[in-house]
Amino acid sequence: MNCKAAVIPAPNQPVEVREFPLPHLEPCAALMRVTYSEVCGTDVHLLHGQLPGAPYPLIPGHINVGTLEAMSGEVTDAFGEPLAIGDTITFLDVHGTCHNCWYCLVAKATTRCPHRKVYGITYGADDGLLGGWSEVVYLKPGVKIMRLPAGLTPELAIAGGCALPTAFHAVERGQVGLGDNVVIQGSGPVGLMAGALARLSGAQQVIVIGAPRLRLDLARKLGADHVISIEDTSPEERLEAVRALTGGRGADITIEATGSPRAIPEGMRMTRDAGVYVVVGQYTDAGPVEFNPHHDLNRKHLDVRATWGIDFAHMYKSLHALARFRDAFPWEEIISAYYTLDQANEALADVAAGRVVKAVLCPNGVRKHQGG
Ligand SMILES: [Zn+2]
Ligand SMILES: [Zn+2]
């Protein structure tokens, strides 16, 4: 028996669909048949070789939803509850966090554990079927598997995708709470989800800054009170607009989710004195930027925080929140199109060009009601 998977052979080479033999299962391993795999901005970075050390050839796809197809012995979810064939599951892409190193034990910063590996990013095709752009994914022993919470459909779970736990981490780092004025820089999936989560956290006002208009309209549907287009404003005008909405002071908390270094000094200046600035969007090295340490940092008494990656708690809590608040917003509108494995290059091109908000791959075929 063989299985088809989409592979990035090397940086800047188009994705190829290749056949792989179905793997032999070691004890406590499992196979998941993939219903949905996200096409994330990270996958565009992988295609362009922007993640140093990524092991090509590589099967992308770090956020996945599917059904449990085979197990070797007893396989359990992250809490030790036995799983059954046919269960609808997802799993944490991060695998191998050691909980024994200095970062895990002393700094309690598990996302900086040097032993952590990530499905679809730091595992390559030579390591196995360890990415979701494949008909089946090999779940190694120790992978943190989670059944979808009651009320959470696979479509809703993949709508949350990678952006939801990433945004959850940022909102948590920013300690967004009741009464806060929150600015979100960026209207990609992470910015949109951060806006929705800030709203659910009780923010007094959520202001999303981004482009194009289609995404800003979606930001409003996902809880933003105000949107500011970067297409028809200057940095000075955006700063004025934020101040006008916040009593002249600026945001209590600003969350950066743009990927653009230029957004950083702008975001610092949009945040009020003694406010909090959270950086989540600088996932790859897009270069340096200048700011004034006296005006933008020291004198402002600014609290700058950053996040790297997610851990199990972010996935777990954000998926439960999504199930609980599934009717609060039209979450699934973030998915612009569904693609087959053979359309992976098209999906990547659409994400890279910003023609879609979110693209979802269906390695086992697009079902009729999904459109696309
Ligand atoms: Zn560790
Ligand atoms: Zn991602």
Side-chain angles (χ1 to χ4, degrees):
M1 275 279 283
N2 281 354
C3 145
K4 280 186 192 159
V7 175
I8 301 177
N12 298 306
Q13 286 188 23
V15 173
E16 293 168 8
V17 175
R18 294 185 185 171
E19 294 218 356
F20 294 85
L22 273 186
H24 174 74
L25 293 181
E26 66 199 292
C28 301
L31 284 184
M32 181 183 95
R33 186 156 290 272
V34 182
T35 310
Y36 299 123
S37 186
E38 184 169 4
V39 182
C40 170
T42 299
D43 302 315
V44 177
H45 296 314
L46 283 170
L47 179 69
H48 295 146
Q50 289 162 331
L51 295 179
Y56 301 92
L58 193 145
I59 306 171
H62 48 285
I63 297 293
N64 309 292
V65 181
T67 53
L68 192 62
E69 178 154 294
M71 307 189 278
S72 168
E74 187 178 80
V75 174
T76 67
D77 71 4
F79 306 110
E81 289 293 320
L83 292 164
I85 301 296
D87 281 349
T88 303
I89 55 169
T90 185
F91 64 93
L92 183 68
D93 54 352
V94 179
H95 175 247
T97 305
C98 78
H99 302 291
N100 277 306
C101 70
W102 191 91
Y103 280 100
C104 285
L105 287 177
V106 180
K108 294 183 180 170
T110 53
T111 68
R112 296 306 300 139
C113 173
H115 303 289
R116 77 201 276 279
K117 302 285 273 180
V118 187
Y119 271 65
I121 300 177
T122 67
Y123 276 134
D126 293 340
D127 299 314
L129 292 171
L130 305 179
W133 295 14
S134 173
E135 289 173 327
V136 297
V137 172
Y138 185 80
L139 302 180
K140 285 171 168 277
V143 165
K144 300 289 181 226
I145 303 173
M146 185 179 152
R147 277 200 197 87
L148 293 196
L152 193 67
T153 61
E155 291 75 21
L156 195 51
I158 203 70
C162 177
L164 184 75
T166 303
F168 190 97
H169 194 179
V171 167
E172 181 187 73
R173 281 285 272 161
Q175 293 170 295
V176 174
L178 278 172
D180 287 330
N181 286 298
V182 180
V183 163
I184 312 287
Q185 295 177 284
S187 55
V190 175
L192 291 170
M193 289 295 163
L197 292 176
R199 162 60 52 243
L200 291 178
S201 301
Q204 186 69 17
Q205 189 170 224
V206 176
I207 305 162
V208 174
I209 302 172
R213 183 50 62 185
L214 194 73
R215 292 184 181 211
L216 295 178
D217 292 343
L218 188 52
R220 277 188 180 279
K221 290 184 185 177
L222 294 173
D225 301 286
H226 304 280
V227 296
I228 300 171
S229 167
I230 57 167
E231 287 172 333
D232 30 76
T233 53
S234 66
E236 294 72 30
E237 287 168 331
R238 293 194 280 278
L239 186 58
E240 274 316 300
V242 168
R243 287 194 176 145
L245 290 166
T246 54
R249 290 179 292 270
D252 298 303
I253 299 144
T254 302
I255 295 175
E256 181 278 329
T258 67
S260 165
R262 280 175 308 163
I264 301 293
E266 193 177 321
M268 293 164 95
R269 286 160 205 165
M270 276 175 187
T271 311
R272 69 161 165 83
D273 287 7
V276 174
Y277 188 47
V278 182
V279 177
V280 62
Q282 307 291 318
Y283 183 69
T284 54
D285 183 357
V289 71
E290 267 188 19
F291 64 93
N292 184 311
H294 171 68
H295 288 291
D296 299 328
L297 201 53
N298 206 148
R299 190 167 183 273
K300 273 186 87 77
H301 196 75
L302 187 66
D303 186 350
V304 181
R305 305 173 186 176
T307 75
W308 181 256
I310 59 162
D311 65 23
F312 184 77
H314 303 115
M315 181 181 87
Y316 178 87
K317 286 187 176 179
S318 67
L319 285 180
H320 278 273
L322 187 58
R324 167 67 180 79
F325 294 105
R326 63 184 180 274
D327 298 324
F329 308 117
W331 301 96
E332 282 179 45
E333 286 189 27
I334 197 169
I335 301 174
S336 314
Y338 292 91
Y339 302 80
T340 63
L341 270 191
D342 295 321
Q343 296 170 316
N345 285 304
E346 196 185 311
L348 277 168
D350 286 347
V351 171
R355 284 190 289 270
V356 294
V357 184
K358 179 183 290 199
V360 172
L361 277 195
C362 309
N364 287 284
V366 178
R367 282 185 262 163
K368 280 220 167 54
H369 69 270
Q370 291 161 349

